[in-house]
Amino acid sequence: MLKQLFMTTIAATTLGLGATMLTAPQPAAAQSIYQSVPQAYRGTWKLKHATWSAKKNLKLKITARSFKSQFGSYAGKELGVYQGKHSISVFKIAGGMQVGAYNNLQRTHYQQQPALKWSFNGQSMTYVRAR
């Protein structure tokens, strides 16, 4: 009886130590959301093409910690940024959690000019740098 109790205690201790030493990998969403927007995406952009009806020449202004457009603005601590491999996503945060949908931004070209493709809810718009 004492031997069985001893073996059970050793097994439980070993499992407990093993569980604390092995940690699960962090999901991508667990990365810091208070990042700044990369330099390549910053600047003032002008609308050139949209998959839905939108006024031409609408402006999109992006700085390190702000995202301003006709459709919504996020700045400071309410701006969340997730950096993917070939794009970034910006979204509104409150209390450290995402409260709005992702706005995906991807660098591309439009008529041989550097451009920015903004997609949201299945719709997309293409912006070029304003001069």
Side-chain angles (χ1 to χ4, degrees), residues 65-95:
R65 292 296 308 150
S66 70
F67 177 84
K68 297 177 184 174
S69 73
Q70 289 291 109
F71 308 106
S73 298
Y74 318 128
K77 292 198 176 222
E78 66 179 22
L79 172 69
V81 178
Y82 171 74
Q83 296 182 12
K85 188 168 184 168
H86 297 289
S87 64
I88 65 168
S89 297
V90 294
F91 49 90
K92 186 172 183 167
I93 56 175

Side-chain angles (χ1 to χ4, degrees), residues 41-60:
Y41 294 87
R42 297 179 197 172
T44 303
W45 301 84
K46 186 169 55 171
L47 179 66
K48 284 296 183 179
H49 176 73
T51 58
W52 52 290
S53 61
K55 291 182 180 179
K56 296 284 185 184
N57 298 324
L58 289 177
K59 301 274 180 162
L60 173 66

Side-chain angles (χ1 to χ4, degrees), residues 18-53:
T20 58
M21 291 171 45
L22 298 174
T23 58
Q26 294 289 328
Q31 295 178 357
S32 175
I33 56 174
Y34 294 105
Q35 299 176 14
S36 62
V37 176
Q39 184 70 37
Y41 294 87
R42 297 179 197 172
T44 303
W45 301 84
K46 186 169 55 171
L47 179 66
K48 284 296 183 179
H49 176 73
T51 58
W52 52 290
S53 61

